[in-house]
Amino acid sequence: MDLKLEAIVLPVSDVDRAKRFYEAAGFRLDVDNTFSDEYRLVHMTPPGSQCSIIFGKGTISTAPGTVQGLYLIVADVEKAREELVGRGVGMSEVFHDAGGLLHHGHEGGEAVHRGAGQERIEGPEPGRTSYASYATFSDPDGNGWLLQEITERLPGR
């Protein structure tokens, strides 16, 4: 059985501001429909992704900025960060995790590490091991994104 993630709904406070932000970040606009004064739906897709984001007016009751830990997979985190910064997206510096391959948390565009011995270290992971280098950003409402460098998938993934 295939289970394919199609879309993630993001809570935003200003639809036009969010649309401008994601367009500047390079997301493709798929749909922008206003159905009534109370319902507008914007559907956008990150470059190279099969999963999209949806936001708008009347699309979700969650408070704006409460979605965290959205992963965008990139082949080169430094180049991806550089491109996004060039597009006007405020980004963290590239970092890696001293405690292993997987990131331990994300809040408000910044990495949050939990547990003894977990430490965020500036720069990409020295061996450029897949799953080990990151950069973060948030949209204007604070929904948090994480770039994760993956050049080779682990077996079974």
Side-chain angles (χ1 to χ4, degrees):
M1 169 177 54
D2 285 346
L3 298 173
K4 296 179 181 178
L5 184 61
E6 180 69 21
I8 296 171
V9 182
L10 297 179
V12 301
S13 61
D14 183 323
V15 179
D16 289 320
R17 179 181 69 177
K19 181 180 171 186
R20 285 189 304 272
F21 174 83
Y22 286 108
E23 284 178 324
F27 285 44
R28 179 187 73 229
L29 177 64
D30 299 314
V31 173
D32 183 353
N33 285 334
T34 300
F35 298 95
S36 71
D37 289 343
E38 299 303 315
Y39 186 58
R40 177 179 174 193
L41 181 123
V42 178
H43 182 265
M44 301 185 81
T45 304
S49 181
Q50 293 183 355
C51 184
S52 301
I53 59 171
I54 293 173
F55 56 88
K57 184 175 182 182
T59 59
I60 190 169
S61 61
T62 308
T66 55
V67 174
Q68 301 298 313
L70 298 163
Y71 280 63
L72 293 171
I73 304 308
V74 297
D76 185 319
V77 71
E78 291 176 310
K79 285 183 181 177
R81 181 193 177 279
E82 182 179 312
E83 183 173 333
L84 285 167
V85 168
R87 292 171 166 270
V89 176
M91 302 276 310
S92 75
E93 294 296 326
V94 172
F95 65 94
H96 66 283
D97 184 65
L101 296 179
L102 298 176
H103 177 65
H104 297 281
H106 180 269
E107 292 174 6
E110 293 299 322
V112 175
H113 296 281
R114 295 173 176 88
Q118 303 306 320
E119 184 180 352
R120 175 177 164 164
I121 300 174
E122 212 173 294
E125 191 271 332
R128 296 304 282 262
T129 305
S130 284
Y131 302 92
S133 298
Y134 311 94
T136 60
F137 69 94
S138 293
D139 72 12
D141 283 294
N143 294 303
W145 294 85
L146 181 117
L147 300 183
Q148 181 180 44
E149 184 176 274
I150 299 178
T151 57
E152 185 178 338
R153 292 274 179 189
L154 293 174
R157 294 188 181 190

